[in-house]
Amino acid sequence: MQPLEIMAPAGSYESLAAALRAGADSVYFGVGNYNMRARSTVNFQVGDLPKVARLCHACGAKAYLTCNIIVYDEELEGMQELLERAKEAGIDAVIAADPAVISCARRLGLEVHISVQANVCNLEAVRHYAAMADVMVLARELKLSQIKHIIDGIERENICGPSGQRVRIEIFAHGALCIGISGKCGMSLAAYNRSANRGQCYQLCRRKYRVTDTETGFEMDIDNQYIMSPKDICTIRVIDQLVDAGISIFKLEGRGRSEAYVSTVTRVYKEAVNACRAGQWSPERVAAWEAELQQVFNRQFWHGGYYLGEEWSTWSGCSNSLALEQRCHLGRVMRWYATPQVAEIRLEADALSAGDKIEITGPTTGIVRLIVPEVRADDENGITRTVGTVPKGAHALVRVETKVRHGDKVYLVTRRKLT
């Protein structure tokens, strides 16, 4: 059996650390304008490449650079420079769909993974791309039976990539879906002259719409307020079937999500595939995993999605998250005392009480979650005492067994009220 990879997203050093601490086998990320999150702030810079590669490799994970946009002639020089820097930094592979990017990466000796934007739907396409790539992300619209047919064909024909190893298949396992075919959509281009295929999507599909009679001007709100905003794909209920089909890499969407999202989703899917391999997958464990996934960002779940041949009539009914938990800024870590394992937290935005749930995040720390067992603070005489609540503006002492660092952000996590 080929090893299974949980491939986690990273849009910052905080989410990178969170992914690695949660057990990610590989991490994918973008740099500057050369990826499908070019419009977003969740990108690294060229100078970050060596550090990202070093951090991943230190944890036994692979680092994948996403270069999956359509590239114009005037950008080819810049793209080549980026790929050269990636090669120097020791990046493990480049995710691409544009033939120019693929060719450039191959000339440099970089491993290539064919992006979902290439819309690989059949075994003949796999044969074609095998001369250039070792991994292929199949089109999101394929049924599980079609995926299994492709994987069986790869094994039967021993189709190998440039590395000499058998081609591996990757699928999207969890996260946001787009109404476009394998992510290809023209709405943002038509409305704002900003192409989704250039990483500049304005996500018009996540909005409410009203229809207008052009003759009379009569307007009518569409009943389903988010008619183009699909639920998130969630394969945790069918992960055993996906593993049995021979899929090698499970991609988790979410470079724009929080460290809490990255940590939770990565850990849950890592546990799930390991349970499948160990024969420990069960409906009870699935229910527990699903409950955890509902705590973090989601637009409700489409269970199994395309893979089970379900009709795509499952609209999210929202533009943003339906997560059961929310977090608000609380303060910052001033220092961490190793011997008593205590963090001193400056409370900038709210009070802190025993029993509160908090998250501590930082570029090296990643994310640490805990229920505060007790809080301590100095009284007017400078004597440290256990108290029920420490007010806003004061410094609280909290037991934190995992090392946290000066400047780490602290959030108060509460139950979200959904309307």
Side-chain angles (χ1 to χ4, degrees), residues 326-399:
Q326 63 183 0
R327 67 179 190 174
C328 300
H329 177 69
L330 180 63
R332 294 180 184 273
V333 173
M334 301 307 296
R335 57 186 60 83
W336 182 74
Y337 301 97
T339 301
Q341 295 184 316
V342 166
E344 180 183 344
I345 300 171
R346 183 177 66 206
L347 302 178
E348 300 171 334
D350 207 341
L352 179 65
S353 302
D356 283 346
K357 184 175 183 178
I358 63 172
E359 291 177 353
I360 304 173
T361 70
T364 302
T365 301
I367 182 168
V368 175
R369 296 189 194 90
L370 67 144
I371 305 295
V372 176
E374 66 175 16
V375 286
R376 306 184 74 195
D378 292 343
D379 64 15
E380 62 275 11
N381 298 315
I383 300 173
T384 303
R385 300 183 186 278
T386 299
V387 295
T389 298
V390 179
K392 173 184 173 181
H395 286 213
L397 296 173
V398 177
R399 181 170 176 78

Side-chain angles (χ1 to χ4, degrees), residues 89-160:
I91 297 301
D92 295 285
V94 172
I95 303 170
D98 191 307
V101 181
I102 295 170
S103 296
C104 182
R106 289 303 309 141
R107 286 196 301 271
L108 293 170
L110 280 164
E111 182 176 309
V112 172
H113 295 184
I114 300 299
S115 169
V116 69
Q117 274 75 28
N119 204 221
V120 175
C121 295
N122 53 65
L123 189 58
E124 184 61 33
V126 172
R127 296 189 189 101
H128 169 76
Y129 282 117
M132 307 167 241
D134 292 284
V135 172
M136 294 173 206
V137 187
L138 296 185
R140 295 176 182 172
E141 298 76 34
L142 293 182
K143 297 178 182 178
L144 184 57
S145 59
Q146 295 171 311
I147 295 172
K148 182 72 164 61
H149 175 79
I150 290 172
I151 293 173
D152 288 346
I154 292 171
E155 294 178 352
R156 181 177 61 254
E157 300 177 23
N158 194 32
I159 301 175
C160 296

Side-chain angles (χ1 to χ4, degrees), residues 287-302:
W289 289 323
E290 198 171 300
E292 290 191 69
L293 294 173
Q294 288 173 339
Q295 304 301 315
V296 294
F297 188 103
N298 71 86
R299 294 187 178 96
Q300 298 187 323
F301 293 139
W302 186 21

Side-chain angles (χ1 to χ4, degrees), residues 52-75:
V52 171
R54 184 171 67 252
L55 291 172
C56 289
H57 296 162
C59 294
K62 295 181 179 179
Y64 299 149
L65 175 63
T66 303
C67 297
N68 53 349
I69 63 165
I70 293 170
V71 181
Y72 297 144
D73 279 320
E74 61 268 24
E75 298 169 324

